Amino acid sequence: MSVRIGVVGGGQLARMMIAPAVELGLDLRVLAEQPGMSAALAATAVGDYRDIDTVRAFARDVDVITFDHEHVPQPVLRALVDAGVAVHPGPDALQFAQDKLLMRARLAELGMPQPDWAAVTDAAGLQAFLDAHDGRAVVKTPRGGYDGKGVRVVRSAEEAEDWIRALAEAGAGDALLVEELVAFRRELAQQVARTPAGDVASYAVVETVQRDGVCAEVIAPAPHTAARLELVAREIGLAIAHGLGVTGMLAVELFETEDERLLVNELAMRPHNSGHWSQDGAVTGQFEQHLRAVLGLPLGDPSPRQPWAVMVNILGGPTEGTMADRLPAALAEHAGAKVHTYGKDPRPGRKVGHVTAVGSDLDEVCYDARAVAAQFD
């Protein structure tokens, strides 16, 4: 009998674990939120990941549990651990990806570089932070936000009045996270894989390009990056992976400031959009690496196959017809580029696929990936 891996969540990240699982002879099983999701091919169960009984029943038939997202509630995660289920990453690590206030506090304890921040519970506290930071700040809901959701740049406490009012109505002692608005040159990401035994592998630091709060492109490795900066990014990634006890893939999103510092922005404890380039651009892609890591198998080589790799997200998809309708033209456009689709219906702003291209000339690689992705507009 092959090793059985249970993935909670049926999105595109679970979908992209299927191929490497098949190659390694692993039995990948998915608990999808609803029928017909991206990972439907491996969905052996459909149910609510917030329900303890549903997740516990799914876990009975697998050897290890891992995740397509970080939204499984802590009580559900703790119930799995109490039942003797191997959970990677575990609840002690995942709490820091689920709650940005916990993350900021723990990173401060670890001495990690990060923006000035505070927990605020009322308008007076937010305004005091604004007054101390040139009248502008970033306000975030600590839990549940992604792809720009739950994030606002504000110039006055009134601009977050609805969130503050919701805190007061909840009456549970919750707070908002407020951070300084960082003057950054660009956004970077550092990925690290870590096994339960503490073995690690680091990928090249990459540059991520955001549009409307959503990752649009990734360039690997990050161009015009000094060796010192690469070393610092890798050391930050490794320190966080070990310090939080992460198992599986960890993505550390970073700001490179105008004065050449690196600051930690956010964390993801799973395969991540910033690592999609590795599917075709690295010796061992992040999805295979994640499976290896959570099973405690020897980690693969994260080295790039070519000097450059570029990933371009397909956002929204075609306004007329389907993704399949556009596939022939996309594949004919640049034969060296790879198209990865997610089995999702087109919708404005939705991630419905991505394109990767690799090569020795960065301009040509960027052109190939962008031209193919444009076929799906």
Side-chain angles (χ1 to χ4, degrees):
M1 182 182 296
S2 61
V3 177
R4 301 161 299 180
I5 300 177
V7 182
V8 178
Q12 65 260 26
L13 301 182
R15 177 189 182 97
M16 288 183 277
M17 293 181 205
I18 296 173
V22 171
E23 291 166 355
L24 291 172
L26 305 174
D27 181 0
L28 192 82
R29 305 182 181 191
V30 172
L31 172 61
E33 293 87 335
Q34 55 192 23
M37 294 188 68
S38 291
L41 186 64
T44 58
V46 175
D48 188 350
Y49 62 80
R50 298 165 297 184
D51 181 72
I52 290 177
D53 292 335
T54 297
V55 179
R56 195 157 41 198
F58 172 70
R60 288 194 192 106
D61 295 325
V62 301
D63 299 301
V64 62
I65 287 287
T66 191
F67 307 96
D68 170 85
H69 56 72
E70 291 117 338
H71 305 312
V72 180
Q74 281 286 314
V76 175
L77 298 172
R78 303 284 177 186
L80 292 177
V81 172
D82 291 344
V85 178
V87 180
H88 297 299
D92 289 341
L94 271 173
Q95 64 179 328
F96 300 111
Q98 294 175 329
D99 190 311
K100 295 180 178 66
L101 280 170
L102 289 179
M103 176 197 75
R104 286 290 178 221
R106 181 62 180 139
L107 292 182
E109 292 174 351
L110 293 174
M112 293 296 100
Q114 52 183 342
D116 286 343
W117 64 278
V120 298
T121 58
D122 54 31
L126 176 54
Q127 192 60 53
F129 189 92
L130 285 163
D131 293 343
H133 292 82
D134 299 323
R136 299 178 72 195
V138 179
V139 180
K140 299 180 179 180
T141 55
R143 295 179 292 277
Y146 66 97
D147 284 347
K149 299 177 178 67
V151 179
R152 292 180 187 172
V153 177
V154 302
R155 293 169 178 80
S156 70
E158 287 75 17
E159 293 181 56
E161 182 181 1
D162 54 335
W163 285 357
I164 293 170
R165 185 170 58 250
L167 286 179
E169 292 172 352
D174 286 344
L176 295 172
L177 171 63
V178 57
E179 301 174 350
E180 68 169 308
L181 187 63
V182 176
F184 60 87
R185 288 183 55 231
R186 57 180 177 170
E187 293 185 68
L188 305 174
Q190 176 67 59
Q191 280 195 303
V192 174
R194 183 176 181 272
T195 70
D199 297 326
V200 292
S202 297
Y203 285 80
V205 65
V206 303
E207 179 175 347
T208 65
V209 180
Q210 316 291 319
R211 298 197 184 106
D212 299 322
V214 178
C215 180
E217 296 184 5
V218 174
I219 303 173
H224 313 298
T225 303
R228 179 192 62 81
L229 207 65
E230 293 176 356
L231 177 61
V232 171
R234 184 164 60 251
E235 288 178 342
I236 288 172
L238 291 172
I240 293 174
H242 288 308
L244 303 186
V246 178
T247 48
M249 290 298 304
L250 166 71
V252 182
E253 298 180 45
L254 300 159
F255 294 129
E256 181 185 352
T257 66
E258 297 288 356
D259 56 354
E260 298 185 339
R261 293 176 298 134
L262 291 181
L263 302 177
V264 177
N265 179 20
E266 294 190 356
L267 307 177
M269 295 179 192
R270 50 174 169 76
H272 189 253
N273 204 166
S274 64
H276 289 355
W277 68 272
S278 68
Q279 282 179 290
D280 305 300
V283 176
T284 306
Q286 66 164 345
F287 297 99
E288 178 182 341
Q289 196 78 290
H290 185 73
L291 298 178
R292 289 182 180 222
V294 301
L295 288 173
L297 295 172
L299 296 176
D301 183 354
S303 302
R305 291 182 178 274
Q306 293 282 342
W308 298 104
V310 172
M311 188 281 308
V312 177
N313 272 328
I314 302 170
L315 299 173
T319 54
E320 295 182 1
T322 66
M323 293 283 289
D325 294 336
R326 303 294 182 91
L327 196 57
L331 295 178
E333 183 74 16
H334 295 270
K338 299 289 187 179
V339 177
H340 300 266
T341 62
Y342 301 162
K344 293 180 175 180
D345 294 329
R347 189 173 70 202
R350 191 183 204 186
K351 293 178 183 175
V352 294
H354 67 267
V355 176
T356 59
V358 301
S360 58
D361 185 287
L362 179 56
D363 289 339
E364 290 181 3
V365 173
C366 286
Y367 177 71
D368 287 348
R370 291 167 183 166
V372 174
Q375 292 291 329
F376 295 94
D377 290 343

